[in-house]
Amino acid sequence: MRVVEDRVLTQDVFEELARSAIRAEEALRLEFVNGKLGVKAVPDGDHGRIVAWLTQICMQSDPSRWLFGEQGLRIESYRKGNARPDASLAPIDAFVGQGEWASPDDVLMVVEVTSYDEDTDRRDRVEKPRAYAETGIPVYLLIDRDTCEVKVHSGPDGVRYEQVVTVPYGKIVTLPDPVGIELDTEPLKSWVR
């Protein structure tokens, strides 16, 4: 009888696997969150419009910051992971020279817009808030197209976000410091199924 040791996927092995997956299939985007390999859904047109809308708001608020779409981040202090948020708000030069998987140190906010797939609940509502909080990212904005709500997570304590504010589409919600933006969510009503 042969005993096989459990092998843990390292960050370096994951990053090479992710590069190979994109070369093989352009629409295939991998993530490695909470020790689990996952596939990120390809965004639809409404998803892209939501990110464009939010980019415009962030740019008008402070032109020295940018909402970077799909920038890979090295996340989680304990398990070493890789996530590709739909968008990351950071100073405009934050990711210069860092390549596909960047440090989250300068990230002020990460944004996820739910996709209409079976992994959304586990990935966007459970695993990613925990991973982003463990990493210390100050604000996690979840634009939930299934529930037509916006959830603003803030105050990471290294394990979870201490504050979560949920508002239905159509209300104004404050993205707390260091973001410091009041967000009128009325337009989101136009970009859901």
Side-chain angles (χ1 to χ4, degrees):
M1 174 186 270
R2 189 169 161 223
V3 176
V4 179
E5 289 182 44
D6 286 338
R7 298 232 13 197
V8 175
L9 187 63
T10 66
Q11 194 163 12
D12 290 339
V13 170
F14 166 78
E15 290 177 14
E16 180 58 36
L17 181 62
R19 281 190 294 277
S20 297
I22 287 175
R23 282 193 300 269
E25 175 63 45
E26 192 173 308
L28 187 58
R29 292 182 175 92
L30 300 180
E31 294 182 304
F32 186 49
V33 179
N34 290 330
K36 296 176 189 165
L37 185 63
V39 177
K40 186 170 175 78
V42 176
D44 59 40
D46 290 336
H47 184 285
R49 181 62 181 100
I50 291 169
V51 173
W53 164 78
L54 193 56
T55 299
Q56 186 175 28
I57 291 168
C58 290
M59 191 176 77
Q60 289 171 346
S61 169
D62 184 344
S64 71
R65 305 184 300 196
W66 189 256
L67 193 66
F68 295 88
E70 299 280 325
Q71 171 65 55
L73 297 176
R74 290 189 172 124
I75 59 166
E76 302 176 82
S77 57
Y78 170 65
R79 294 194 182 178
K80 303 293 183 205
N82 296 66
R84 192 176 300 280
D86 291 322
S88 301
L89 182 67
I92 199 142
D93 290 331
F95 303 125
V96 172
Q98 292 198 51
E100 184 178 359
W101 301 101
S103 166
D105 291 347
D106 293 327
V107 174
L108 308 173
M109 174 177 73
V110 286
V111 179
E112 296 289 353
V113 178
T114 59
S115 299
Y116 299 111
D117 67 8
E118 60 191 46
D119 286 341
T120 287
D121 187 57
R122 176 184 54 80
R123 185 181 59 244
D124 293 341
R125 297 183 189 108
V126 178
E127 291 177 354
K128 285 193 173 179
R130 185 174 128 213
Y132 295 147
E134 285 178 359
T135 305
I137 295 171
V139 178
Y140 170 47
L141 174 63
L142 176 62
I143 298 175
D144 197 323
R145 296 189 295 167
D146 294 321
T147 63
C148 295
E149 295 175 325
V150 171
K151 291 186 186 252
V152 179
H153 301 74
S154 62
D157 67 2
V159 176
R160 63 184 175 86
Y161 285 102
E162 293 183 343
Q163 293 89 36
V164 180
V165 174
T166 304
V167 300
Y169 288 2
K171 300 281 185 176
I172 293 175
V173 66
T174 299
L175 304 177
D177 288 336
V179 179
I181 296 173
E182 277 203 350
L183 193 60
D184 181 357
T185 66
E186 183 68 31
L188 294 172
K189 292 178 179 180
S190 300
W191 304 314
V192 293
R193 289 184 186 167

